[in-house]
Amino acid sequence: MTAINTTTARINHFADLEALRQVSAQTLAVRTAESVRLPDAEQIQILVCGGTGCQAGKSVATRKAFEVAIREAGLSDRVSVHQVGCFGFCRMGPVVVIYPGETFYCEVAAKDVSDIITHHVMGGNPVQRLLYAPSPKEKVRVQTMAANPFYKGQQRVALKLCGHIDPEDIRESIGAGRYFALAKGLLEMTPASVIDEIKRSGLRGRGGGGFPTGKKWEFAAASVNDVKYVLCNADEGDPGAFMDRSVLEGDPHAIIEAMALAGYAIGAKQGYVYVRAEYPVAIHRLGIAIRQAREVGLLGEKILGTDFSFDIDIRLGAGAFVCGEETALIASIEGERGMPRPRPPFPAVSGLWQKPTLNNNVETYANVPDIILKGAEWYAAMGTPKSTGTKVFAVAGNIMNTGLVEVPMGTTLREIVYGMGGGIPKGKKFKAAQTGGPSGGCIPAQLLDTPMDFDTLVSLGSMMGSGGLIVMDDSTCMVDVARFYLEFTQEESCGKCPPCRVGTKRMLELLDKITTGEGTLEDIDKLEELAAGIKATSLCGLGQTAPNPVLSTLHYFRDEFIAHVVEKRCPAGKCQALTEFRIDAELCKGCGLCARKCPTNCISGEIKHPFVIDASACVKCGNCSDVCKFGAVVH
Amino acid sequence: MSCNCCKGMITEDPRFAELDAFIASAKSTPGSLISVLHKAQHLFGFLPEEVLQHIAAGLQIPPAEVYGVVTFYNYFSTEPVGRFPISVCMGTACYVQGADRVLAKIESELGIKTGQVTDDGLFSLVSCRCVGACGLAPVITIGGEVHGKLTEHDVPKLLAEIRQQAIADGLVEAPVQEPVAAGSDK
Amino acid sequence: MINLTIDRKQVQVESGTTVLEAARSMGVNIPTLCYLKNINKIGACRMCLVEVKGARGLQTSCTTPCTEGMEVTTNNTAVRAARKLVLELLLSDHNMECPTCVRAGNCELLQLSQEHGVSGIRYEGEKHAAHCDCDSPSLSIDSSKCVLCQRCVAVCREVQGVSAISLVGRGFESAVTPFWKTSIDAAACALCGQCTLVCPTGALTEKDDTEKVWAALMDPTKHVIVQTAPATRVAIGEMFGMPHGAIATGQMVAAIRSLGFDRVFDTNFSADLTIMEEASELVSRLQNGGPLPLITSCSPGWVKYAEHFFPDQLDHLSSCKSPQQMFGAIAKTYYAEKQGIDPKDIVSVSIMPCTAKKFEAARDEMNASGYQDVDYVLTTRELGRMIKQAGLNLAKLRPEEYDVPLGIGTGAGQIFGTTGGVMEAAMRTAAAWLGGTDMPRLTFQEVRGEVAGIREATVVINGNVFFLAIANGLAAAGRIMEKIKAGDTRYHFVEIMGCPGGCIGGGGQPIPSEGPDALEEVRLARIKSMYAIDEAQTIRRSHENPAIQELYREFLGAPLSHKSHELLHTHYHGRGPAGVRKAAAASGVKK
Ligand SMILES: Cc1cc2nc3c(=O)[nH]c(=O)nc-3n(C[C@H](O)[C@H](O)[C@H](O)COP(=O)(O)O)c2cc1C
Ligand code: SF4
Ligand code: SF4
Ligand code: SF4
Ligand code: SF4
Ligand code: SF4
Ligand code: SF4
Ligand code: SF4
Ligand code: SF4
Ligand code: FES
Ligand code: FES
Ligand code: FES
């Protein structure tokens, strides 16, 4: 539903808000893990994921199929279909959850709908084949989210309503408690006490740097000016991270509420959300949420009958990673080239249009309402003393369960990888995990018990960044990974300052040399020298952190670099120039599978006799090695 | 006026009227250039010279500055794109899952390199950095629609389906015919 | 006041002072590349990094304000290494061809590399794709030598209000170019050359015409004459170690004569001629109700700007050609006739403080004599280079005199080269013509001034009230034109000069050896010398110039005569592409 019921009156008092909560309270009461299947008269709710991931899997068709099927089965009065936001388990999408009972279905296509209606909705028996099987071999299936190892151990604060409410209906958000923190702030707290609450919660910025959020609010509040701005950084540039997208798609009112609270705390009337243009669904939902909030008076003039007025507009990015850096983001909102500006002056003093400006990340804001509502102590009790609360990680790469995992700060990497993540597929070994995206570094296998918090990660030469967590197995070449990140930062450098513009190019050239077998030991020294120099002299965080992935891989995997330059060998077999594929005649059973999968037909042989590869025609795609069941293809 | 080449186009092409209306509504909002560019690219598919001149005059921003902004952002294209612009995610999650092989396969299937348009104007190819569907890595988008969990082996079928549909819809002629000029919208 | 220490020495500075300014005030010269006083403070080049105690990492001194108790170190191992790295990286992406580069003499990049002991480039690799824009008669842009300091972009936007060029592209392939990467010739550019004054390297330069002039000089069949603009004589000495604004008129004439020119004449002569025509035009417009205000048209940078940006206001511009073009027209008619030389054998060269004059000379309509009025235009910088090529040390030459008759000018003609000068020259003549019985006024202090945008003045001459305005720099020109366009009709006469300070600050003038931060000071020194030359002159009103009187008597008849119109007046036309001035609302605050 895009336009809310026009009879919904403007909210002028706390009582209006409370009344509106009641409207959807009952609907939402059904959506708890505890709710059990009650007699047939009970309402059944079918929640279909409408996040970007599931939409890519045609979840819209699935939802429509449900709607049609229910109508045709004459179930409309007791079965309802709801589009909700991302459950964080997008790889298994389209995800469908059915209440009561919280039955969690995966990969539900439109053609599966009739089975669910017949067996589950009408017959009361879950459709086994669509339930999640944690282990592909054992075929044991789990029915509920709570029983699903991916969700077990997660503690959801920022993501708590994602997948739980219809993000396009403000009544559901209010029913789930949104805007009560704003009400509490406006009606019961002073701006200073709001800031104090945030400070005491220990919340630190989730956008990368981990700067204490309360302190930032305090600085912005201290700047004297009639006009101030509140920004929300939804540029989510770290490739592989998608928690901000998920929050905007699944619970946009959390951001609106938190930004309004921030506006109240620092004395701003206007906010902007800067969203990357690559997120059309998030932009669409956020736009709807802002319009609905305005309609009911939760944005605009005199919110909740107080003297506080606040509004929010959306600004779109246009494909520049550097615009996630806050001064570049400000330049971009001003309609200019998104090039970072030197600090001081800090945005808290002179930011957007030279006015004091507060900027926080989406996930940072998503934590704010609960901190105000439940108190700083509640929040600070989670996580570690210096990194309080929870953190969302976007787990991806060579891992069984990819998706969004929200855990208390300080949870170990092992718990994430082998707990929620379900371990490494295809029987391969964990080699390293990369955190912090292009600004971060890697954590090798021997540090699997690292607690994931801001300071520990920095001490290991990585960083939290936005929470991207890329898991790599032993077939990954770490030199190639370092090269990949550097190529990214090099392409995304804004070009303003020479160390980053030219320096990252020179580093990339050195890495290219190494991965193509032209490198020397001297080049490794040069890389380190350059890395240190670029970090020390670059203007903004992009250049200052661009060398990190290289430094970190050099630190933990120096032997791989040495293998590339001295032995001219890529241990992982990824760097094409350094890899030669060969069939071990002892091991080859002569099945011929490799020959069929070879794109250049350069493998020949007779069935039941060892096959051979014609190295001159081999394009080193690795197919043969992947498909051989006997490990006979070596490199 | 030394240049009259765009005059006729401006009066005849209704898209300019729509753009003008948008500019008029955006003009009083500070920093609206980027949103106007988004709108223009949406209308025209790309940002040709005369459109940028038009925007510069409309927003009263010197053309060189407009051009500086356009060329800064990857999202904006000053070259025509295909009817089905393909964008291959080369973000980390996708790269680790073999996005490079998918990209290579698309390049060889279409016979174009990244940044180019096929002769028939049907496909253009770019790489991008993360569309937020990382859980489905590797991911590509075709005309804005996300396709996930791809392997290079899925590529030929996917492209063939789109091409067939396009031929059926009369968007392009069946192969062996003369290729149509890309982006010709006269 | 704020107290801090820089390199262990105490300093006290005003609040708002940057660390760079504080250091320079105490004689510590922190190197800079992108910084441009009052114009560009963007922290881009990273040359000015210093260590600030307690700060995370090195800080750019050009952007960091001084704070109480700050402890700054401008020279230690970390700082030196940082600056050296920046230079090495810049050079690794630079088309190093110093021996053949026009800027080698005063290239900031070269100088910094020397000063920082860059003895080899450790990091080599691919260079950014270079493109060279050499189509314009005035300017060349060679991106292979650009360090992306953005000083040119800032000057063009902030000082000139033109924004003909911008940073384009991103990252390693960024470049400074006009719209759509076309030639600067195809852009709404005034060709004023202010950008060339601030470029630290050989990336943005005047188009070099010295070889063509050498060729003419070496051609025995040609009668090569030269005119020197008023502002050149107070600037050229700077290229030969003389102080800022040094008056080097006689030495310049001597040097030029040594280069082989047949006659050395003076643009001051034709400046006087311009006043005769322009003052008459003003009187005629006042009497006959012509479009007012009358606006000067002797600055081709300004004229080109007006043609792009205010094509519907061109009837305000005086129809008088600039002094350069009047000279050219007279040289190939009156002078040729008088000397009995076939005008086709005359090569007319002018020495100008200006890059736009090169374009002006090449305009289609500048050929009233049947030949191109002016054949070659050299900037002051190019003349300086030719003098050096000829092995002459200008500072040591014995002064010589201009040739007659086209070398005779008055003090009024001389001050054409500074802002307010044309106005004052015109008022001197007007005062004499309208003056009644009083001693006609010579000095009009109210129209003089420094480089400061727009000045207004009211001058009363024998009951006639003149409401005047003077604008210099194109940003100021744009502002005053907006007023006029909006129907502000108070002004009678408006002087507009394209460059800050007028031609003494022209885009073809020598670049201060201290770098462009010294420009402000240099301009003031040159202005002072302009008035000093004027004061030393016995004849200080244009109409009293005997050579001018003779010219009218023998050849033109009277101002605004048919012949004058044919030779000395011209017309202007709107020029594409249309210029777009930045709207005030383009950057604003949403309440
Ligand atoms: C190159 C670069 C990219 C960044 N990208 C993002 C981003 O995509 N999202 C984000 O929230 N912060 C990003 N940041 C961090 C922001 O500059 C800023 O610190 C953050 O938005 C502040 O919010 P927080 O305190 O809530 O973390 C980036 C920083 C750098 C240097
Ligand atoms: S460090 Fe890189 S991204 Fe940042 S300002 Fe410098 S060039 Fe631009
Ligand atoms: S690596 Fe690829 S090309 Fe080479 S032999 Fe194996 S399958 Fe064929
Ligand atoms: S797949 Fe393995 S076993 Fe079979 S032919 Fe190829 S190398 Fe031999
Ligand atoms: S710009 Fe400077 S460094 Fe570059 S070639 Fe010219 S003189 Fe040498
Ligand atoms: S400075 Fe050295 S390298 Fe350059 S021209 Fe002179 S002698 Fe040759
Ligand atoms: S010549 Fe003048 S107008 Fe043209 S780019 Fe340079 S400064 Fe700007
Ligand atoms: S052209 Fe010159 S002034 Fe302009 S950015 Fe390049 S080096 Fe700097
Ligand atoms: S002010 Fe002088 S130097 Fe500048 S453009 Fe005009 S004529 Fe040329
Ligand atoms: S989009 Fe459906 S689970 Fe993420
Ligand atoms: S990395 Fe490819 S979609 Fe995120
Ligand atoms: S002079 Fe300070 S950064 Fe360039």
Side-chain angles (χ1 to χ4, degrees):
Chain A
M1 99 160 13
T2 51
I4 64 164
N5 195 335
T6 44
T7 58
T8 306
R10 204 191 126 95
I11 297 171
N12 288 318
H13 302 282
F14 184 74
D16 300 344
L17 188 65
E18 188 53 47
L20 197 51
R21 161 147 67 181
Q22 297 306 329
V23 175
S24 41
Q26 278 184 318
T27 316
L28 293 177
V30 178
R31 294 181 205 164
T32 61
E34 294 77 34
S35 67
V36 284
R37 186 80 205 266
L38 294 171
D40 278 351
E42 181 73 29
Q43 291 289 325
I44 290 181
Q45 293 185 26
I46 300 174
L47 276 56
V48 184
C49 180
T52 295
C54 291
Q55 283 199 1
K58 304 207 164 45
S59 71
V60 174
T62 304
R63 175 167 54 84
K64 291 198 170 135
F66 269 117
E67 284 163 2
V68 171
I70 286 164
R71 207 175 326 118
E72 286 176 352
L75 295 167
S76 299
D77 52 342
R78 63 181 198 93
V79 183
S80 54
V81 180
H82 306 259
Q83 171 169 280
V84 295
C86 174
F87 289 87
F89 206 23
C90 323
R91 191 155 195 97
M92 289 287 125
V95 169
V96 170
V97 176
I98 299 185
Y99 290 103
E102 205 199 49
T103 306
F104 189 85
Y105 287 118
C106 300
E107 300 189 306
V108 182
K111 65 174 170 45
D112 301 319
V113 163
S114 61
D115 270 7
I116 293 181
I117 295 290
T118 323
H119 299 296
H120 185 137
V121 176
M122 312 215 318
N125 299 312
V127 181
Q128 285 295 326
R129 66 176 177 89
L130 295 171
L131 294 174
Y132 176 63
S135 159
K137 286 188 199 113
E138 292 160 35
K139 302 276 181 208
V140 189
R141 295 179 186 266
V142 291
Q143 184 170 348
T144 63
M145 271 173 93
N148 187 329
F150 178 73
Y151 291 101
K152 226 185 273 172
Q154 288 204 42
Q155 189 168 352
R156 294 196 153 199
V157 178
L159 299 179
K160 73 170 190 183
L161 292 185
C162 291
H164 206 73
I165 52 161
D166 179 350
E168 299 189 10
D169 184 350
I170 193 172
R171 291 169 304 184
E172 289 207 356
S173 288
I174 292 172
R178 287 287 172 239
Y179 294 104
F180 282 83
L182 177 62
K184 183 176 178 189
L186 296 187
L187 301 171
E188 296 171 19
M189 296 169 83
T190 61
S193 61
V194 170
I195 295 176
D196 187 58
E197 201 70 42
I198 301 293
K199 270 176 82 174
R200 285 188 298 110
S201 76
L203 177 64
R204 293 169 68 174
R206 300 315 196 222
F211 191 83
T213 306
K215 234 189 210 171
K216 208 190 241 186
W217 289 28
E218 196 171 45
F219 287 143
S223 287
V224 184
N225 207 305
D226 288 351
V227 181
K228 298 185 186 178
Y229 296 104
V230 172
L231 308 183
C232 172
N233 189 341
D235 196 43
E236 192 149 70
D238 177 4
F242 56 104
M243 59 284 288
D244 294 352
R245 189 218 89 206
S246 181
V247 170
L248 291 177
E249 287 178 0
D251 188 11
H253 290 286
I255 303 309
I256 298 174
E257 180 179 22
M259 287 177 74
L261 271 164
Y264 175 67
I266 70 157
K269 287 193 189 122
Q270 176 67 40
Y272 292 99
V273 185
Y274 186 86
V275 197
R276 62 199 329 241
E278 290 86 342
Y279 286 0
V281 180
I283 294 162
H284 177 70
R285 297 257 165 84
L286 182 63
I288 290 172
I290 290 173
R291 275 197 300 283
Q292 293 185 350
R294 273 188 204 138
E295 267 176 56
V296 301
L298 289 167
L299 278 180
E301 296 296 315
K302 300 208 180 295
I303 295 172
L304 284 166
T306 66
D307 281 340
F308 176 65
S309 304
F310 189 78
D311 210 343
I312 295 176
D313 284 322
I314 299 176
R315 287 303 167 93
L316 296 194
F321 170 69
V322 68
C323 287
E325 196 280 338
E326 60 187 0
T327 59
L329 181 142
I330 286 170
S332 187
I333 294 181
E334 289 173 356
E336 314 223 325
R337 291 166 61 85
M339 299 208 290
R341 298 167 180 173
R343 296 177 296 186
F346 288 91
V349 176
S350 173
L352 186 60
W353 291 300
Q354 284 91 51
K355 301 294 175 187
T357 301
L358 170 73
N359 163 46
N360 281 117
N361 164 262
V362 171
E363 188 188 335
T364 312
Y365 281 126
N367 283 295
V368 164
D370 270 6
I371 292 173
I372 297 299
L373 219 46
K374 301 185 182 171
E377 291 68 26
W378 163 80
Y379 193 79
M382 293 180 287
T384 67
K386 284 189 164 173
S387 301
T388 60
T390 57
K391 178 74 194 91
V392 185
F393 291 96
V395 184
N398 308 130
I399 188 156
M400 286 299 298
N401 302 336
T402 61
L404 295 180
V405 168
E406 184 169 359
V407 289
M409 288 273 190
T411 303
T412 66
L413 179 57
R414 187 187 301 278
E415 289 172 80
I416 298 174
V417 173
Y418 289 99
M420 301 107 209
I424 315 296
K426 296 184 200 159
K428 295 201 172 153
K429 281 220 303 275
F430 174 89
K431 183 172 194 177
Q434 168 90 12
T435 66
S439 306
C442 58
I443 304 169
Q446 66 266 30
L447 295 174
L448 257 170
D449 291 308
T450 298
M452 304 287 276
D453 64 60
F454 285 112
D455 307 305
T456 308
L457 288 177
V458 169
S459 73
L460 297 178
S462 182
M463 63 189 273
M464 179 72 80
S466 54
L469 199 152
I470 309 289
V471 178
M472 292 169 283
D473 65 22
D474 50 11
S475 68
T476 315
C477 168
M478 296 312 287
V479 184
D480 179 64
V481 168
R483 205 206 75 92
F484 167 80
Y485 280 109
L486 210 80
E487 183 174 43
F488 177 85
T489 36
Q490 198 273 321
E491 275 178 18
E492 295 298 332
S493 162
C494 83
K496 183 170 177 177
C497 67
C500 173
R501 178 181 72 237
V502 187
T504 56
K505 179 85 177 172
R506 298 296 168 250
M507 279 184 79
L508 180 60
E509 285 165 345
L510 287 168
L511 286 164
D512 277 338
K513 265 178 88 178
I514 294 171
T515 52
T516 52
E518 313 275 312
T520 62
L521 283 173
E522 207 190 3
D523 289 334
I524 298 181
D525 296 341
K526 271 193 186 175
L527 259 184
E528 282 181 317
E529 258 172 49
L530 259 175
I534 292 168
K535 280 172 77 89
T537 54
S538 290
L539 194 168
C540 84
L542 192 152
Q544 285 161 7
T545 60
N548 286 355
V550 177
L551 287 175
S552 149
T553 37
L554 266 169
H555 183 74
Y556 294 114
F557 297 96
R558 203 179 185 89
D559 54 326
E560 285 196 25
F561 281 81
I562 308 273
H564 281 74
V565 300
V566 178
E567 300 161 36
K568 305 288 176 204
R569 183 174 69 83
C570 173
K574 170 81 190 171
C575 299
Q576 293 196 356
L578 296 178
T579 304
E580 193 142 313
F581 287 87
R582 201 166 49 74
I583 291 172
D584 186 330
E586 302 268 297
L587 295 173
C588 178
K589 301 269 187 262
C591 70
L593 182 60
C594 56
R596 286 200 298 279
K597 295 289 179 183
C598 174
T600 58
N601 293 324
C602 64
I603 308 180
S604 55
E606 254 179 75
I607 295 296
K608 299 224 169 116
H609 294 279
F611 277 57
V612 283
I613 293 173
D614 172 3
S616 66
C618 168
V619 296
K620 299 173 185 176
C621 68
N623 283 356
C624 49
S625 152
D626 284 349
V627 298
C628 177
K629 293 190 185 75
F630 309 97
V633 181
V634 290
H635 52 76
Chain B
M1 281 289 113
S2 71
C3 154
N4 286 312
C5 55
C6 54
K7 283 284 180 217
M9 188 170 167
I10 289 173
T11 45
E12 280 164 27
D13 191 330
R15 292 176 297 182
F16 278 97
E18 195 175 340
L19 180 59
D20 282 337
F22 189 83
I23 290 173
S25 71
K27 205 173 168 174
S28 58
T29 316
S32 56
L33 173 59
I34 291 172
S35 57
V36 170
L37 293 171
H38 273 296
K39 176 76 182 178
Q41 179 149 308
H42 184 72
L43 282 171
F44 293 88
F46 72 113
L47 297 170
E49 187 178 354
E50 52 272 31
V51 168
L52 294 187
Q53 289 275 17
H54 194 74
I55 291 172
L59 288 175
Q60 280 176 270
I61 299 174
E65 284 181 26
V66 171
Y67 189 61
V69 170
V70 167
T71 55
F72 185 84
Y73 294 100
N74 280 352
Y75 209 79
F76 298 132
S77 172
T78 53
E79 301 290 330
V81 293
R83 269 180 197 279
F84 297 94
I86 302 176
S87 184
V88 180
C89 177
M90 289 290 270
T92 321
C94 294
Y95 182 76
V96 175
Q97 299 274 24
D100 50 346
R101 293 199 298 268
V102 173
L103 179 63
K105 188 71 186 176
I106 298 176
E107 285 184 339
S108 70
E109 278 293 304
L110 295 179
I112 56 172
K113 289 271 158 214
T114 315
Q116 295 178 334
V117 189
T118 52
D119 285 343
D120 58 7
L122 203 55
F123 295 104
S124 55
L125 181 61
V126 294
S127 67
C128 74
R129 302 289 192 180
C130 193
V131 293
C134 327
L136 307 181
V139 165
I140 70 172
T141 65
I142 303 181
E145 203 175 302
V146 179
H147 299 259
K149 296 194 256 186
L150 277 183
T151 70
E152 62 269 38
H153 310 298
D154 301 327
V155 167
K157 190 168 154 253
L158 186 59
L159 295 180
E161 273 168 19
I162 293 173
R163 188 178 296 273
Q164 237 121 58
Q165 189 59 48
I167 294 169
D169 294 349
L171 293 176
V172 283
E173 305 190 2
V176 302
Q177 299 285 340
E178 274 295 297
V180 191
S184 63
D185 38 31
K186 289 200 176 96
Chain C
M1 294 302 259
I2 286 169
N3 296 288
L4 69 157
T5 63
I6 296 180
D7 297 339
R8 292 179 304 282
K9 290 197 190 98
Q10 289 279 343
V11 236
Q12 204 177 46
V13 294
E14 274 183 44
S15 143
T17 310
T18 60
V19 171
L20 176 73
E21 288 156 358
R24 286 192 172 169
S25 75
M26 56 191 279
V28 176
N29 190 21
I30 300 172
T32 56
L33 207 45
C34 67
Y35 169 79
L36 198 53
K37 203 162 134 194
N38 300 331
I39 297 168
N40 207 35
K41 252 194 212 182
I42 57 172
C45 75
R46 321 307 289 168
M47 272 312 292
C48 68
L49 288 169
V50 295
E51 197 172 278
V52 176
K53 199 172 165 188
R56 229 184 83 222
L58 302 175
Q59 305 290 309
T60 43
S61 56
C62 68
T63 60
T64 306
C66 296
T67 54
E68 188 61 38
M70 197 180 225
E71 290 176 41
V72 178
T73 308
T74 72
N75 178 11
N76 63 21
T77 312
V79 165
R80 274 197 310 275
R83 293 177 187 163
K84 199 165 167 176
L85 174 74
V86 167
L87 286 167
E88 280 182 85
L89 288 173
L90 281 175
L91 292 175
S92 79
D93 185 30
H94 188 85
N95 171 19
M96 279 189 287
E97 43 170 43
C98 310
T100 56
C101 176
V102 284
R103 284 302 298 272
N106 59 352
C107 169
E108 291 180 42
L109 179 61
L110 181 54
Q111 202 173 331
L112 287 170
S113 303
Q114 297 286 299
E115 287 169 6
H116 288 81
V118 176
S119 50
I121 296 159
R122 280 172 296 171
Y123 315 107
E124 278 175 7
E126 191 194 324
K127 292 175 181 170
H128 65 269
H131 60 97
C132 191
D133 171 11
C134 306
D135 284 357
S136 144
S138 293
L139 304 176
S140 311
I141 309 181
D142 178 357
S143 83
S144 71
K145 293 178 185 171
C146 174
V147 296
L148 295 171
C149 67
Q150 300 188 51
R151 292 189 339 196
C152 52
V153 176
V155 158
C156 189
R157 185 183 58 225
E158 305 297 328
V159 178
Q160 297 299 69
V162 177
S163 287
I165 48 178
S166 170
L167 214 51
V168 163
R170 189 174 78 198
F172 194 66
E173 296 303 339
S174 310
V176 169
T177 79
F179 177 69
W180 210 259
K181 288 195 182 156
T182 48
S183 157
I184 191 84
D185 234 26
C189 162
L191 299 176
C192 66
Q194 285 302 311
C195 47
T196 66
L197 282 184
V198 298
C199 181
T201 70
L204 240 172
T205 58
E206 67 283 351
K207 180 74 161 282
D208 188 295
D209 288 314
T210 54
E211 282 308 323
K212 290 180 197 152
V213 173
W214 278 125
L217 288 171
M218 298 305 139
D219 183 344
T221 66
K222 296 294 179 196
H223 181 75
V224 188
I225 62 171
V226 67
Q227 55 169 320
T228 65
T232 53
R233 66 207 69 188
V234 299
I236 186 132
E238 292 162 16
M239 289 179 79
F240 297 87
M242 295 167 82
H244 297 158
I247 300 172
T249 320
Q251 288 103 318
M252 178 175 76
V253 173
I256 292 174
R257 201 163 276 134
S258 296
L259 293 180
F261 285 95
D262 295 300
R263 292 290 184 281
V264 187
F265 292 137
D266 199 357
T267 315
N268 291 10
F269 162 82
S270 50
D272 286 331
L273 180 58
T274 305
I275 287 297
M276 298 297 289
E277 295 291 325
E278 200 159 327
S280 308
E281 189 182 4
L282 177 62
V283 170
S284 142
R285 287 201 194 188
L286 284 167
Q287 285 171 352
N288 307 329
L292 287 175
L294 174 70
I295 307 177
T296 59
S297 61
C298 49
S299 163
W302 145 242
V303 170
K304 186 164 189 282
Y305 171 81
E307 289 178 330
H308 286 291
F309 285 78
F310 295 95
D312 53 348
Q313 302 294 312
L314 296 174
D315 57 353
H316 285 289
L317 268 64
S318 160
S319 64
C320 292
K321 286 184 181 172
S322 72
Q324 161 174 278
Q325 297 306 132
M326 285 201 183
F327 181 97
I330 292 299
K332 292 202 177 166
T333 53
Y334 171 67
Y335 171 78
E337 221 174 285
K338 214 169 151 100
Q339 299 292 307
I341 304 174
D342 186 339
K344 82 168 178 4
D345 293 328
I346 297 181
V347 175
S348 178
V349 177
S350 60
I351 313 294
M352 293 285 140
C354 183
T355 48
K357 291 275 181 198
K358 289 176 183 269
F359 166 81
E360 181 186 41
R363 286 175 71 120
D364 290 344
E365 59 275 17
M366 295 298 178
N367 54 6
S369 59
Y371 301 91
Q372 203 183 333
D373 292 345
V374 173
D375 296 291
Y376 304 117
V377 180
L378 299 177
T379 59
T380 316
R381 294 198 288 271
E382 288 167 278
L383 174 64
R385 290 205 295 272
M386 286 182 72
I387 293 173
K388 285 183 178 171
Q389 284 163 20
L392 301 167
N393 182 352
L394 180 123
K396 292 212 168 140
L397 298 180
R398 188 172 318 131
E400 293 178 14
E401 294 288 328
Y402 282 105
D403 292 310
V404 290
L406 306 192
I408 300 172
T410 71
Q414 175 64 36
I415 58 175
F416 256 62
T418 172
T419 170
V422 178
M423 183 61 76
E424 182 162 349
M427 286 301 116
R428 285 179 189 176
T429 289
W433 284 352
L434 304 169
T437 52
D438 292 344
M439 248 304 270
R441 267 174 80 184
L442 251 182
T443 313
F444 291 82
Q445 200 63 47
E446 58 270 52
V447 305
R448 297 189 182 181
E450 297 175 3
V451 187
I454 298 172
R455 293 188 296 284
E456 290 180 342
T458 313
V459 167
V460 185
I461 299 168
N462 198 19
N464 299 286
V465 181
F466 290 93
F467 197 52
L468 311 173
I470 295 116
N472 66 102
L474 291 172
R479 287 203 302 279
I480 202 163
M481 286 310 292
E482 288 293 353
K483 280 188 173 190
I484 292 168
K485 189 175 173 177
D488 190 336
T489 52
R490 281 173 304 163
Y491 308 116
H492 298 114
F493 190 33
V494 176
E495 177 202 292
I496 299 183
M497 291 289 156
C499 297
C503 300
I504 50 94
Q509 292 281 62
I511 295 163
S513 52
E514 305 87 331
D517 278 349
L519 271 173
E520 235 170 89
E521 211 181 294
V522 167
R523 284 192 291 245
L524 290 181
R526 291 178 189 160
I527 290 177
K528 220 167 133 199
S529 297
M530 296 296 276
Y531 288 115
I533 299 175
D534 167 38
E535 265 155 46
Q537 214 85 333
T538 40
I539 306 179
R540 295 176 64 196
R541 291 187 186 87
S542 296
H543 60 280
E544 292 169 358
N545 181 336
I548 293 291
Q549 291 169 347
E550 190 175 290
L551 170 68
Y552 276 108
R553 218 170 30 243
E554 292 180 359
F555 186 66
L556 291 172
L560 305 185
S561 68
H562 180 68
K563 199 153 203 169
S564 291
H565 263 296
E566 223 167 52
L567 291 177
L568 308 181
H569 291 254
T570 184
H571 54 272
Y572 312 99
H573 50 83
R575 196 177 280 280
V580 177
R581 263 168 60 77
K582 195 158 190 133
S587 65
V589 174
K590 182 166 174 182
K591 290 268 154 90

